[in-house]
Amino acid sequence: EAGVTQFPSHSVIEKGQTVTLRCDPISGHDNLYWYRRVMGKEIKFLLHFVKESKQDESGMPNNRFLAERTGGTYSTLKVQPAELEDSGVYFCASSQVRDSPLHFGNGTRLTVT
Amino acid sequence: DQQVKQNSPSLSVQEGRISILNCDYTNSMFDYFLWYKKYPAEGPTFLISISSIKDKNEDGRFTVFLNKSAKHLSLHIVPSQPGDSAVYFCAAPGTAFFGNEKLTFGTGTRLTIIP
């Protein structure tokens, strides 16, 4: 079984540019989550999809962040325009049912210069 | 306001000895806790969990203890092995019904096992 895959693994962009991160969950996993770890601090929840619907997006920092999951398969997280404080590692995770352990991807390291 | 705290950023333990990682929480509504392990350049992987109806849960070399009155939990690894060297995160879910939703993580403890 393929795990959660994230692309790219690393992205370096300039302040003001746009970046789109992609996550492919484990096949059959309806629940998809985005988390972020900034500057070696705690890993923080961003949002949760159930299939294509946003179940909870209370962790999204501001309206520069837009997440989509068209068709309930892969998800994208777009940051537009990027700011310096957006630098960090963005993790995607998926689970088959809501109370089963999360499977995390290896993350995308975003560096905004 | 950090609701899950891991006050030790790092810990070094001799191979074969016991590793004890600590975690404190402030939200008395938390009733389920998880530990995740993370290797460099990888995502966190689930290790072990405990429900508040228990005070101990064991899985092989890993045991988690929960002290609700002190709002404290700890992860014991015995015997420690070199492959245990990783960052360990304590986490609690933000919803009452499901064990893995909207997890609140601590800042992590980097465990180094010395051969």
Side-chain angles (χ1 to χ4, degrees):
Chain A
E1 172 183 82
V4 176
T5 56
Q6 293 187 244
F7 183 83
S9 58
H10 195 179
S11 179
V12 181
I13 62 172
E14 293 184 352
K15 176 182 171 180
Q17 289 186 322
T18 297
V19 62
T20 300
L21 314 181
R22 171 170 171 144
C23 169
D24 286 77
I26 293 172
S27 178
H29 283 197
D30 288 340
N31 295 278
L32 186 149
Y33 305 81
W34 283 97
Y35 283 83
R36 176 175 76 168
R37 188 181 191 203
V38 174
M39 292 281 290
K41 295 186 178 179
E42 68 268 30
I43 301 169
K44 285 195 172 182
F45 168 84
L46 295 178
L47 86 160
H48 169 207
F49 282 100
V50 177
K51 297 185 179 178
E52 67 275 9
S53 300
K54 290 177 185 174
Q55 182 73 22
D56 184 345
E57 54 183 329
S58 60
M60 295 287 264
N62 51 62
N63 59 11
R64 296 185 294 103
F65 289 75
L66 175 64
E68 294 180 323
R69 192 183 182 194
T70 307
T73 54
Y74 71 91
S75 174
T76 58
L77 179 64
K78 181 190 286 187
V79 184
Q80 179 184 30
E83 298 289 344
L84 298 178
E85 64 264 25
D86 300 333
S87 295
V89 182
Y90 290 77
F91 292 105
C92 176
S94 71
S95 67
Q96 191 167 25
V97 295
R98 290 168 73 172
D99 59 352
S100 57
L102 298 186
H103 298 262
F104 280 84
N106 290 339
T108 293
R109 180 174 295 277
L110 175 64
T111 303
V112 183
T113 62
Chain B
D1 175 32
Q2 204 172 334
Q3 298 186 68
V4 177
K5 299 178 183 180
Q6 294 177 259
N7 293 317
S8 298
S10 63
L11 175 68
S12 294
V13 174
Q14 287 284 123
E15 181 179 358
R17 305 293 290 267
I18 183 171
S19 296
I20 300 176
L21 297 99
N22 294 304
C23 177
D24 297 292
Y25 61 96
T26 57
N27 189 340
S28 57
M29 297 299 291
F30 287 154
D31 61 1
Y32 184 73
F33 302 89
L34 308 95
W35 284 93
Y36 279 80
K37 174 180 178 180
K38 184 185 177 306
Y39 292 119
E42 294 185 9
T45 55
F46 170 73
L47 190 58
I48 192 169
S49 62
I50 188 166
S51 165
S52 61
I53 62 173
K54 294 184 172 182
D55 55 15
K56 174 183 173 181
N57 189 26
E58 191 172 350
D59 183 2
R61 296 186 297 112
F62 302 91
T63 303
V64 57
F65 294 91
L66 175 62
N67 183 333
K68 287 183 64 180
S69 60
K71 294 192 180 70
H72 176 83
L73 61 157
S74 60
L75 174 67
H76 292 212
I77 306 172
V78 55
S80 299
Q81 298 175 354
D84 296 330
S85 294
V87 178
Y88 290 79
F89 291 94
C90 172
T95 60
F97 301 107
F98 296 100
N100 288 287
E101 298 213 321
K102 198 173 180 178
L103 293 176
T104 297
F105 284 87
T107 52
T109 297
R110 180 178 301 279
L111 175 65
T112 302
I113 304 302
I114 304 165

